[in-house]
Amino acid sequence: MQQAPGNPNENKVWKWHIQDPASQRLTWNKPPKSVLVIKKIREAALLEPFKELCIFLTEVKNMIVYVEKKVLDDPAMSADDNFAAITKKFCTFREDLDDISNCVDFIICLGGDGTLLYASSLFQDSVPPVMAFHLGSLGFLTPFSFDTYQSQVTQVIEGNAGIILRSRLKVRVQKENWEKKPRVDEKGIIMTNGDTDSHKAINYQVLNEVVVDRGPSSYLSNVDLFLDGHLITTVQGDGVIVSTPTGSTAYAVAAGASMIHPNVPAIMITPICPHSLSFRPIVVPAGVELRIMLSCDARNTAWVSFDGRGRQEISHGDSIAITTSCFPVPSICFRDPVNDWFESLARCLHWNVRKKQNCMSSEDDDF
């Protein structure tokens, strides 16, 4: 937003410059040299596409290929002697143990939407651009078809592609009493006794949604929702979903929320089966801080999960702080951010699919 020039004695006029989403393009400072290939573990249908892609990247494009160690440990993968020679050129890593954030120029996902969510979880700070191929079930977030992977990958390497920045949620779970697990060395010897580390916190980067629910309890979930330190409501129902615009087409839309384009800077709050006819989903500006805590008179604990992972119990005194992350997921587009999104709405969710009404004939005008 900027002030328009004019006579200083006249009223100020403010103009708001809005960027065209289709103008967002992938730009490399230098040609990419390394790529992380992620595939669903032990998915037989993905073995051949994975091998084809890796051979193309290493032999044709001369790129350094990173893969997870557990992918190569798949018995079906190690049984191929011809491909074993190619795998010797790969760089491997282990989830939660090896940091590859500064080693990878871009990511290629083979699978469904869950594969992209998993790729996001591997990077708690800056995320390399992600190219997602539709080889799963739904494929809302995976716009590329594998049939033309060679030409599509070549265009990405050359920087000829659109891109969309998918915002993530920065989540901080503060535990009143967090049980510290015993630390074990390489020989299996316990180094410290189990004890309690009070007020410990753990952080997450979430692409789709944070879900707080009642878990196995038959009682209503009863949690307080704060926005920038102010109590705005108490959720009484099965739970609440806090989602990004990307996550608005996932669990949130099934719970009755609107669908928001990923370019819109916002956070969605959607109740799950609220015991109130007037509790509707709402949208708040990106950047506010939400905090969720158990109500003091809650009859039971609650449970929280992050993009369907890391499920844990929330007790009295615990808190969940949520805000927009500074580290989005740069998702490479097949066409552009707008066309890709509407194509996914039509292809995956059959948005506004209806048999067309017949046109009126001259005889119908008489009625």
Side-chain angles (χ1 to χ4, degrees):
M1 183 178 289
Q2 60 184 4
Q3 183 181 352
N7 191 326
N9 297 324
E10 296 178 357
N11 293 333
K12 293 181 178 179
V13 178
W14 295 93
K15 296 177 65 178
W16 195 355
H17 174 70
I18 301 177
Q19 182 184 12
D20 178 9
S23 67
Q24 298 175 167
R25 306 294 295 177
L26 174 64
T27 303
W28 299 112
N29 292 326
K30 57 183 179 180
K33 297 294 184 182
S34 58
V35 56
L36 166 62
V37 180
I38 297 178
K39 69 173 284 290
K40 191 175 181 180
I41 305 298
R42 291 180 174 81
E43 182 68 37
L46 297 181
L47 283 177
E48 290 307 316
F50 175 77
K51 294 176 184 178
E52 281 187 41
L53 176 64
C54 290
I55 292 173
F56 173 73
L57 292 170
T58 54
E59 301 297 316
V60 179
K61 295 300 181 181
N62 297 316
M63 300 200 72
I64 302 171
V65 176
Y66 284 79
V67 297
E68 280 191 277
K69 186 177 183 301
K70 59 184 178 182
V71 170
L72 299 184
D73 290 340
D74 187 342
M77 190 76 66
S78 57
D80 189 340
D81 295 333
N82 295 327
F83 188 65
I86 301 294
T87 61
K88 294 179 181 179
K89 301 179 182 180
F90 294 169
C91 296
T92 60
F93 72 98
R94 295 163 296 173
E95 181 187 6
D96 296 332
L97 293 176
D98 301 317
D99 183 11
I100 60 169
S101 56
N102 295 322
C103 304
V104 176
D105 291 325
F106 72 103
I107 304 169
I108 296 179
C109 293
L110 303 178
D113 294 342
T115 310
L116 180 59
L117 295 177
Y118 177 69
S120 169
S121 71
L122 294 176
F123 297 87
Q124 294 303 299
D125 293 321
S126 179
V127 184
V130 182
M131 183 181 192
F133 285 95
H134 176 34
L135 291 169
S137 52
L138 185 62
F140 194 93
L141 305 177
T142 55
F144 290 93
S145 170
F146 194 76
D147 296 337
T148 56
Y149 76 91
Q150 293 188 4
S151 61
Q152 299 290 351
V153 171
T154 299
Q155 288 190 18
V156 169
I157 293 174
E158 294 174 351
N160 183 21
I163 199 164
I164 182 170
L165 298 179
R166 298 184 178 274
S167 64
R168 294 196 291 179
L169 298 175
K170 177 184 176 182
V171 186
R172 182 178 177 85
V173 179
Q174 188 88 30
K175 291 282 192 175
E176 181 70 18
N177 290 297
W178 191 301
E179 292 184 358
K180 183 187 292 183
K181 295 181 179 179
R183 184 164 59 90
V184 182
D185 68 3
E186 296 179 353
K187 297 181 181 180
I189 300 175
I190 298 177
M191 304 296 293
T192 58
N193 294 324
D195 56 6
T196 299
D197 186 7
S198 182
H199 302 290
K200 185 177 179 180
I202 187 168
N203 297 316
Y204 299 89
Q205 294 283 338
V206 177
L207 179 57
N208 259 2
E209 73 274 299
V210 179
V211 178
V212 179
D213 59 69
R214 59 190 175 95
S217 173
S218 59
Y219 292 113
L220 288 174
S221 171
N222 197 340
V223 296
D224 292 333
L225 181 61
F226 298 83
L227 191 149
D228 286 342
H230 302 284
L231 177 65
I232 57 172
T233 193
T234 297
V235 180
Q236 296 183 94
D238 281 353
V240 63
I241 305 166
V242 179
S243 61
T244 64
T246 295
S248 70
T249 51
Y251 192 0
V253 74
S258 296
M259 296 178 289
I260 300 180
H261 189 274
N263 270 119
V264 178
I267 298 176
M268 295 194 67
I269 302 171
T270 307
I272 307 172
C273 297
H275 199 244
S276 168
L277 296 178
S278 60
F279 195 172
R280 308 305 301 162
I282 61 172
V283 179
V284 297
V288 302
E289 183 182 81
L290 300 172
R291 186 175 296 272
I292 301 175
M293 301 181 68
L294 271 182
S295 298
C296 59
D297 54 354
R299 296 184 178 184
N300 54 291
T301 60
W303 288 76
V304 62
S305 60
F306 316 93
D307 282 343
R309 308 181 75 202
R311 187 167 172 81
Q312 55 193 266
E313 191 172 16
I314 299 298
S315 303
H316 286 284
D318 300 344
S319 67
I320 307 165
I322 306 170
T323 190
T324 303
S325 171
C326 297
F327 302 104
V329 174
S331 184
I332 299 173
C333 302
F334 178 68
R335 289 189 179 88
D336 61 70
V338 175
N339 282 305
D340 280 11
W341 191 67
F342 278 101
E343 172 65 23
S344 293
L345 287 182
R347 175 173 51 86
C348 301
L349 300 182
H350 305 290
W351 177 64
N352 198 28
V353 173
R354 179 191 184 276
K355 184 178 179 180
K356 286 192 175 181
Q357 186 181 48
N358 294 329
C359 61
M360 293 183 65
S361 63
S362 59
E363 288 82 4
D364 294 332
D365 292 337
D366 300 333
F367 295 95

